[in-house]
Amino acid sequence: MATYKKRGYKPKTKVEKEIEVEEESTTAEVFNTLDESANKAEEFVEKNQKNIFIVIGVVAALVLGYLGYQQFVAKPKQATAMNEMYQAKKYFNDAVTATANKDSLYNLALSGGEGKLGLTDIVDQYSGTDAGNLANYYAGMAYLNLKDYEKAIAYLDDFKSEDEALAPMAKGAIGDAFMQLNQEEQALDYYLKAANLRQNEFTTPTFLYKAGVTALNMGNTSKALDLFNKIKDNYPDAPEAKNSEVFIGKAQAMSK
């Protein structure tokens, strides 16, 4: 146990003198060990100085290379990609609001027009950019509307986003594609992913509802009841809430 000693205190007894000698010896050993460690570190640096400088140089080159790539390659590439995508996105938007020739406009969005690339070319040529990623979403939605469900799934699955709406909408659209392919289990899985990916008043009740209808069609009444009740309890103002009450009654009747 350590004891406090006043400054200038001199040991009087034999035991106290022995303790003082031991403490001085221990202190000396500690300093000797530190000196030895420092010497070994110096020797290591001297022997490996060349390799150490090489490692430092490589790390510095990587950092500078990354910064240079971001400044002189990635940013200009992103700007070019967004410029290329403007026309393709316009075709897509026109297709969404059009009352006729929708398929032609979706195809133009995918293949390009007026000297600009289409969505699929943007995905291929500008992968790694935000524009290239976003092109995956629009291409997937275009193929979904053109009833090419397998391509829709492929493009939408490659789309990555943290957006509150787009992220769940992409997952839900994959569910829609699987439904059209009569793959209800996969559709249910993606509807649930879409519903749980973000919690909001827009996408969550929409995909809970689609998941509930799918579960009911599959004969999974307990799952359907759980999903419709979530809409009723948590999103009572959503448009899906009223229809959920009807399906709750239907699910209860089916489970008897």
Side-chain angles (χ1 to χ4, degrees), residues 5-192:
K5 296 179 182 178
K6 294 181 180 179
R7 182 177 296 178
Y9 173 82
K10 294 183 178 180
K12 296 178 181 179
T13 67
K14 182 179 179 181
V15 173
E16 287 179 340
K17 289 179 180 180
E18 289 176 352
I19 291 172
E20 184 177 52
V21 170
E22 286 179 3
E23 288 178 348
E24 290 175 353
S25 176
T26 301
T27 302
E29 287 178 6
V30 170
F31 280 108
N32 287 334
T33 301
L34 291 173
D35 288 339
E36 288 176 7
S37 299
N39 289 333
K40 287 179 180 178
E42 289 174 3
E43 289 175 7
F44 176 82
V45 170
E46 288 177 3
K47 288 181 180 179
N48 298 278
Q49 191 173 44
K50 184 177 179 181
N51 291 333
I52 290 171
F53 282 131
I54 289 173
V55 171
I56 293 172
V58 169
V59 172
L62 288 172
V63 171
L64 291 173
Y66 173 78
L67 293 174
Y69 174 82
Q70 290 295 317
Q71 183 65 34
F72 300 110
V73 179
K75 286 183 179 179
K77 188 177 181 181
Q78 166 67 8
T80 303
M82 289 301 293
N83 182 54
E84 283 287 349
M85 197 167 75
Y86 174 81
Q87 186 60 49
K89 190 171 178 293
K90 184 177 185 304
Y91 286 134
F92 181 91
N93 291 337
D94 289 345
V96 171
T97 58
T99 56
N101 300 319
K102 282 179 172 287
D103 287 1
S104 296
L105 289 166
Y106 280 126
N107 279 312
L108 280 171
L110 289 165
S111 60
E114 298 188 26
K116 296 294 184 181
L117 296 176
L119 295 167
T120 56
D121 288 327
I122 292 170
V123 169
D124 293 336
Q125 295 184 30
Y126 296 96
S127 62
T129 67
D130 292 340
N133 180 49
L134 191 58
N136 275 309
Y137 174 79
Y138 286 114
M141 297 301 289
Y143 278 121
L144 183 65
N145 282 280
L146 289 169
K147 300 180 174 56
D148 193 338
Y149 303 117
E150 291 182 354
K151 285 186 179 178
I153 291 168
Y155 279 97
L156 288 167
D157 195 46
D158 285 340
F159 174 65
K160 308 297 183 228
S161 175
E162 297 297 323
D163 188 81
E164 187 73 12
L166 284 184
M169 284 174 66
K171 296 295 183 188
I174 294 175
D176 291 339
F178 275 121
M179 277 298 290
Q180 294 299 324
L181 293 169
N182 296 317
Q183 297 181 35
E184 290 182 324
E185 287 187 10
Q186 290 89 336
L188 177 59
D189 181 49
Y190 273 93
Y191 286 147
L192 292 173

